[in-house]
Structures are given as structure tokens and as C-alpha cells.
Amino acid sequence: MAETRETAVTATRTTDSTRDMHDTWGTPPPAPRKGRFGRELGYLLTGLPLGVAAFSTVLTMLVLGAAGLALVVGASLLVAALAVAGAFARVERQRVAHVTGRPIPAPRYRERRGSGIPRALHALGDGQRWRDLAHALVAFPLRIVTFCFAVTWTVGGLGELLYGAWSWSLPRDEGEEGLLDLMFDISSEAADIAFNTAVGAVLLATAVPLLRGLTALQTALARALLGDRA
């Protein structure tokens, strides 16, 4: 009985110690499993419109700023491009924290000093601001790929699974029985429905690990470029 009481006390102390460590170092608990698939799907789908906005805005300002770099206007545009990239970086850090449950440590930016041209040049020398800008550009093609895979494996998989319910609406030439007929010359409506339904089942069955891998790839890029390098 005494040993049982001592074991319980030890377990309580260990739990309290772990909780204190989390409170001290700011380490968040892991993301809850419930709703994880939905968070990952939302993260990947919303990444594309966010990436389009970040890429087009930052790239336009960067090109115009570089073209007029000899002028004050050019330097101001470059500083503005870095500021916009920083705003998108803050949004991405919040998105990563939401989907993974592990926030990205906020980086330390160089404090701007002076005014006018010296202040702008000081901002242009901040390496973290350029990494924010690099993320806005580099993440865009990755977001396109992850978006396409996410839509194909979820919406496309669901559509294929329900193929038998809507395949009648597809326009067909005389004697043509769908994809299976085109691929393997098997002219059978039942076989075509069974084939497409099986494809949908496979896509949906593999959607969870696929989306998890795509999310890990995209969040890894964010952590590498947007986190505190210290």
C-alpha cells in the first residue's frame, strides 16, 4: 500500500514537472488528433490563394524596386516589398501553428535606425527580411503542387467513388463506355463503374497520409525560412 502511494506521488511530481517545463519553455502540446485531417486539408487549399497574393505582390514590388534601385523610389519599393513579405510571413507562421500545434519561433528583425535613406538601407541589410521574401517566392510553386494533389485526392477521390451515381450525365460517342474502354478496350458499363469506383476508394484511402506528407513538406519550408535561426 505504501509503495502504491509512493508511486502515485512520483507520477504526480513527474506530471507537474513536465507541465512546469512546458510553461517555462513555451513548448505547446501536440496538435489534437480530432479534426487533424480537416486542418491539413484547409491549410493546403488556402495556401494557394495566399501564395498567389504573396507571390504576385512581392515579385512586382521587387522587380520595380530593383529597376529603380539607383533612385530613392527604387529603394523605397524594395523596403516596401520586404515589409509586405514580412506580413505574409506572420500569417504563415500563424497557419503553421494552427495546423501543427507547434508555433514557429518568431525571428528577430534588425531594429530600424535613422530616417530617410539610411533607415531604408538599414532595413535592406536585414537577412531575415530577405528570407521572408524568399519564402513568398519559393513557396508559391510548392503550394501549387500541394493544392493540386490535395484536390485530386479528396474531391477527385470522392467524385470517383460516386462515379456510378453521375456517370450517366457524361457525353459519350456511340459504342464508347468510358475510361476503361479507352484504356483497355473493355466495353462494359458495369466494368467502367467498378473501375472508377475502385480508383476513388484508393484515392480516399491514401488521402490521409498524402495530405500529412504534403503538410509536413510545406511547413518544413516555412520553419526553415521564417523561424528564429538562433
Side-chain angles (χ1 to χ4, degrees):
M1 192 70 179
E3 293 180 357
T4 303
R5 187 181 296 109
E6 183 178 352
T7 303
V9 172
T10 303
T12 302
R13 290 176 178 175
T14 302
T15 303
D16 293 340
S17 176
T18 304
R19 186 183 299 111
D20 291 342
M21 181 181 66
H22 286 315
D23 294 340
T24 301
W25 296 102
T27 305
R33 294 181 179 273
K34 184 178 181 180
R36 182 176 179 179
F37 179 81
R39 290 196 305 273
E40 292 173 342
L41 179 60
Y43 174 77
L44 295 174
L45 296 183
T46 57
L48 182 59
L50 183 65
V52 170
F55 181 84
S56 57
T57 304
V58 171
L59 182 61
T60 300
M61 299 178 72
L62 179 64
V63 171
L64 293 177
L69 187 59
L71 304 176
V72 177
V73 176
S76 300
L77 282 174
L78 288 179
V79 173
L82 294 177
V84 171
F88 281 109
R90 287 192 295 272
V91 173
E92 183 61 19
R93 282 193 289 268
Q94 293 174 357
R95 281 165 30 87
V96 171
H98 174 71
V99 73
T100 64
R102 296 186 297 112
I104 298 178
R108 299 178 181 178
Y109 295 96
R110 292 178 60 181
E111 184 179 354
R112 297 185 182 184
R113 300 175 181 175
S115 60
I117 296 179
R119 182 180 179 86
L121 294 178
H122 192 270
L124 293 177
D126 189 345
Q128 181 57 53
R129 297 184 187 277
W130 287 104
R131 284 188 289 272
D132 292 346
L133 186 143
H135 179 268
L137 301 179
V138 175
F140 179 60
L142 178 61
R143 283 170 168 168
I144 294 177
V145 174
T146 56
F147 177 89
C148 293
F149 274 98
V151 171
T152 300
W153 254 253
T154 53
V155 179
L158 183 60
E160 284 287 271
L161 188 66
L162 301 177
Y163 178 78
W166 58 268
S167 60
W168 59 269
S169 62
L170 294 176
R172 303 179 189 273
D173 295 333
E174 186 177 355
E176 181 184 316
E177 293 298 341
L179 183 61
L180 195 62
D181 188 13
L182 294 174
M183 295 175 60
F184 305 107
D185 198 24
I186 300 177
S187 182
S188 170
E189 182 179 357
D192 179 59
I193 293 177
F195 174 76
N196 284 276
T197 302
V199 170
V202 171
L203 290 177
L204 292 180
T206 56
V208 171
L210 177 75
L211 264 63
R212 192 153 299 169
L214 295 176
T215 300
L217 182 63
Q218 197 164 306
T219 55
L221 177 62
R223 292 185 185 280
L225 292 176
L226 305 181
D228 187 1
R229 300 178 68 86

